[in-house]
Amino acid sequence: MSRLLRRLISPVPAATVQRDTVRLRLEDVEIEVLRVRDPRARRIKLSVDERGARLTLPPRASLVMGERFLEQHRDWLGLQLRIYQGHGLPAALQPGVEGVLPLRGELLPLRWQEGRYARLEIDEHGACVQWPSRGGDATLRRLLREFYEAQTRADVGRWLPKYLPGLPRAPSRLRLKVMSSQWGSLAPDGSMALDLALVLGRPAAFEYVLVHELCHLIQANHSPAFWHEVEQRFPDWRAQRDYFQLEGRRLKAMLRQLL
């Protein structure tokens, strides 16, 4: 076999992803930004999530270009980090400490009572936790997750019947997840996934996401025909989309803090 033929059929070694950190001063605080040189990247990108800030560089971008990009987006970076670090969010819940419970766009007063089992209920005074003496952080996180999942399923169960007429079929399954960027998705098999943070925001916005995903049973795309289906069923969808633009990151950060 010739050398040229061997080169054509042999697998090409994958380029490695290189990582290091760069330090940046924001106001009176110095932070570390993860710098990643990714051979698959096509442009310089700055992103923020619960792990911190990340600067992605394509192969041909210089370190100076990356640092200049960071400097140009300094204000944006500071804002996003404050959101993800809990700035402007209710205080994290602690067993036995009164606080507030986010639910459906409101902050319900939260009180604690001694109980044999961990249980969270809504009443006319707000929210009440029955709490065992040996309850810990893991018990609280599990209790909150189960509570929010039950509340989410109750909302879907209340809204879904009025939208089923006119659909080719009902969703085959509903999964509740903690999503980093999406609010919902519909798989080819008809199973629907919804972000658990939806139940923290205003109900109209949650209902819009449900309608959005249901319309994908008719149009598996975002074509004008798809948006026509959404418009017919939920004329106020634009206002709810704008709501997520303003409040979406805060809702997702709030859920991460709770769970």
Side-chain angles (χ1 to χ4, degrees):
M1 182 183 297
S2 69
R3 182 179 301 176
L4 176 61
L5 183 57
R6 282 198 300 271
R7 287 178 58 190
L8 289 175
I9 65 176
S10 299
V12 178
T16 58
V17 176
Q18 301 173 356
R19 294 180 173 85
D20 64 356
T21 58
V22 56
R23 302 192 71 84
L24 179 70
R25 178 164 289 278
L26 294 175
E27 299 176 350
D28 297 329
V29 179
E30 192 174 55
I31 67 166
E32 284 192 349
V33 179
L34 176 64
R35 182 167 53 192
V36 180
R37 187 174 295 279
D38 190 339
R40 299 166 298 178
R42 296 293 178 263
R43 59 184 177 84
I44 300 177
K45 179 181 178 182
L46 182 61
S47 58
V48 179
D49 60 20
E50 64 273 14
R51 295 168 294 184
R54 173 185 174 121
L55 177 68
T56 303
L57 302 178
R60 295 187 180 182
S62 68
L63 298 183
V64 173
M65 292 172 63
E67 291 172 1
R68 187 180 302 132
F69 190 86
L70 263 180
E71 186 64 32
Q72 292 171 346
H73 294 82
R74 171 189 295 271
D75 292 342
W76 179 90
L77 178 59
L79 173 62
Q80 301 307 312
L81 286 173
R82 286 195 297 273
I83 292 174
Y84 276 102
Q85 290 168 358
H87 179 79
L89 300 181
L93 297 182
Q94 301 179 41
V97 179
E98 292 189 356
V100 292
L101 182 74
L103 182 67
R104 299 187 179 97
E106 299 182 7
L107 296 176
L108 305 179
L110 179 68
R111 64 190 192 279
W112 301 76
Q113 294 180 357
E114 185 176 349
R116 186 175 180 182
Y117 304 105
R119 187 171 61 184
L120 173 55
E121 295 180 336
I122 303 299
D123 58 26
E124 65 272 17
H125 303 294
C128 181
V129 179
Q130 302 288 332
W131 192 247
S133 58
R134 296 186 178 182
D137 290 341
T139 302
L140 178 57
R141 289 194 298 270
R142 182 172 63 252
L143 177 66
L144 288 170
R145 175 129 195 173
E146 291 173 352
F147 170 79
Y148 282 125
E149 286 183 352
Q151 296 294 315
T152 300
R153 291 187 183 278
D155 285 349
V156 172
R158 187 171 65 255
W159 294 324
L160 185 60
K162 68 179 179 181
Y163 294 114
L164 289 179
L167 296 177
R169 64 187 187 280
S172 60
R173 186 162 58 108
L174 173 62
R175 293 178 296 131
L176 303 177
K177 303 169 62 176
V178 178
M179 299 182 172
S180 59
S181 58
Q182 291 179 299
W183 294 102
S185 64
L186 189 77
D189 65 357
S191 62
M192 179 187 297
L194 295 174
D195 186 4
L196 199 56
L198 285 166
V199 78
L200 304 183
R202 69 187 188 194
F206 183 177
E207 188 174 358
Y208 155 64
V209 173
L210 175 65
V211 173
H212 183 114
E213 300 308 328
L214 290 174
C215 288
H216 280 311
L217 292 166
I218 305 172
Q219 295 285 341
N221 50 52
H222 287 100
S223 64
F226 166 80
W227 290 111
H228 175 72
E229 298 292 344
V230 175
E231 179 82 29
Q232 282 190 317
R233 292 165 175 80
F234 205 92
D236 193 39
W237 65 271
R238 292 176 182 83
Q240 308 314 322
R241 183 183 60 183
D242 293 344
Y243 170 80
F244 285 119
Q245 292 291 332
L246 294 172
E247 297 291 335
R249 284 185 178 272
R250 190 176 70 89
L251 293 176
K252 289 179 178 292
M254 197 183 302
L255 183 68
R256 281 191 296 272
Q257 179 174 280
L258 286 163
L259 302 185

